[in-house]
Amino acid sequence: MIVMKTIFSVILHASLASSVIVLLLLGIRKLFLVRLKPRFIYVLWFLVLIKLLIPVGPSSSISLFNLVPQATADKWTTVQSHPADHSESVNQSGDNGSSSPAILAPGNETKATLPQRTEENLPSNLSTKQPEEPVSAGATSLPPTVEKKQLWSNILKIGLWIWLGGLAVLGMYYLIVTLRFRKQLKHSRPIDDEEVLSVLKACSKQLGIKQIIPVYEISGFYSPCIYGVRKPRIYLPEDFAVIADSRQLAHVLLHELAHYKRKDLGFNSLWTLAVWLHWFNPFVWLARRKMASDREMA
């Protein structure tokens, strides 16, 4: 449970930090959308993806805490951790500093004796009588810092169970959608038209793609797409290859092959994992939607 709470705490902090980056990129996207190229804006979204999937980065010497000297920081930590012991040491050092050794008068060094340390001779702050401290009703209660830590631990535990429940629900949803989509792909038919294959070969050569990616047609699809990380395939709506001319077909195939060349299929899987881990953050869902739009423009 401690390990899971630590993992959830790290993901929570990374999600909050990523929200700041998302807001910053949305501002840049709105102000400089016309001036910046779509490919550059699409690359900027990788900053969010890296922060979401790699919440713990390498240690850096650049920190605001490094502006505080180490001796001051250690002293401050000691005072905050043990205020009673520190105040006691200060009082004792002050009392010892105020008291001075007895100075013997000249000529009486051998006859002088130490004075009797009675309660009358002692200062009031060094009296041997200990004052009776009143016992307060809340003496057995925990310190405020301990109570805050315990409260945060309980909140973190509740949030952990909610996060795990969301992971389970979202995982089942993605599993059902993926199985349904693959079942639908079983009804696809490979395209053997010579014109389509020649256009596909020319487009692959234009983009420098050596692998042969097959083209299928399927009913129920309203737009072309490419699917499959290990075995990619291009799926066209039914009768699209018959209706479209060679120029339109080349434009569509170049678009889908560009997704393959730029590894968009693999990055899309990483974004799905990021949304799955940070499902509680609405800025992550918004970031993925805007990223997908910029990806198509790129």
Side-chain angles (χ1 to χ4, degrees), residues 124-172:
S124 59
N125 58 348
L126 295 179
S127 177
T128 57
K129 293 184 178 180
Q130 298 294 333
E132 297 181 358
E133 297 181 357
V135 180
S136 59
T140 59
S141 61
L142 296 175
T145 55
V146 178
E147 292 181 355
K148 289 182 180 180
K149 290 182 179 180
Q150 187 174 3
L151 178 61
W152 171 247
S153 178
N154 295 333
I155 295 175
L156 199 63
K157 185 177 181 180
I158 296 175
L160 172 62
W161 286 111
I162 296 176
W163 177 63
L164 292 176
L167 289 182
V169 173
L170 200 60
M172 291 297 297

Side-chain angles (χ1 to χ4, degrees), residues 169-179 272 275-276 285 288:
V169 173
L170 200 60
M172 291 297 297
Y173 171 77
Y174 274 114
L175 180 61
I176 293 174
V177 170
T178 302
L179 292 178
T272 302
V275 171
W276 186 56
W285 294 87
R288 183 184 179 178

Side-chain angles (χ1 to χ4, degrees), residues 21-269:
I21 303 177
V22 169
L23 293 176
L24 181 61
L25 290 184
L26 289 177
I28 295 175
R29 186 176 181 272
K30 186 175 182 180
L31 293 176
F32 304 101
L33 183 60
V34 180
R35 299 180 181 179
L36 297 178
K37 294 182 178 180
R39 184 182 301 180
F40 178 77
I41 298 177
Y42 173 59
V43 171
L44 290 179
W45 288 112
F46 284 93
L47 299 176
V48 182
L49 182 62
I50 292 173
K51 186 61 179 177
L52 291 173
L53 296 181
I54 310 177
V56 181
S59 58
S60 175
S61 59
I62 302 176
S63 176
L64 293 177
F65 295 101
N66 295 332
L67 300 178
V68 183
Q70 187 64 26
T72 306
D74 295 340
K75 181 178 180 181
W76 175 255
T77 306
T78 306
V79 173
Q80 294 297 323
S81 303
H82 307 284
D85 298 341
H86 186 76
S87 60
E88 183 180 355
S89 62
V90 171
N91 292 333
Q92 291 178 358
S93 62
D95 296 338
N96 295 334
S98 60
S99 60
S100 57
I103 302 177
L104 300 179
N108 296 330
E109 291 84 352
T110 57
K111 297 181 180 180
T113 58
L114 293 175
Q116 297 293 329
R117 298 179 62 111
T118 59
E119 294 185 3
E120 290 79 3
N121 295 331
L122 293 176
S124 59
N125 58 348
L126 295 179
S127 177
T128 57
K129 293 184 178 180
Q130 298 294 333
E132 297 181 358
E133 297 181 357
V135 180
S136 59
T140 59
S141 61
L142 296 175
T145 55
V146 178
E147 292 181 355
K148 289 182 180 180
K149 290 182 179 180
Q150 187 174 3
L151 178 61
W152 171 247
S153 178
N154 295 333
I155 295 175
L156 199 63
K157 185 177 181 180
I158 296 175
L160 172 62
W161 286 111
I162 296 176
W163 177 63
L164 292 176
L167 289 182
V169 173
L170 200 60
M172 291 297 297
Y173 171 77
Y174 274 114
L175 180 61
I176 293 174
V177 170
T178 302
L179 292 178
R180 286 182 177 180
F181 184 75
R182 290 185 176 182
K183 184 179 180 180
Q184 187 178 6
L185 293 180
K186 292 181 179 180
H187 300 284
S188 61
R189 300 175 299 275
I191 298 178
D192 298 330
D193 188 85
E194 293 295 336
E195 182 180 359
V196 176
L197 296 180
S198 62
V199 173
L200 176 64
K201 185 178 180 180
C203 293
S204 300
K205 185 178 180 180
Q206 182 179 347
L207 295 177
I209 299 175
K210 298 181 180 181
Q211 181 179 354
I212 299 177
I213 301 177
V215 182
Y216 289 77
E217 65 175 359
I218 184 173
S219 60
F221 278 33
Y222 299 99
S223 62
C225 69
I226 184 171
Y227 179 78
V229 178
R230 293 181 300 175
K231 296 180 179 180
R233 295 178 179 180
I234 298 176
Y235 296 93
L236 302 177
E238 191 175 12
D239 298 332
F240 179 84
V242 179
I243 299 174
D245 55 18
S246 58
R247 183 179 180 182
Q248 294 174 341
L249 184 61
H251 177 78
V252 170
L253 293 179
L254 281 174
H255 181 89
E256 302 304 330
L257 289 174
H259 283 305
Y260 169 78
K261 184 176 179 62
R262 298 178 183 176
K263 311 298 181 181
D264 290 339
L265 299 173
F267 290 128
N268 187 63
S269 301

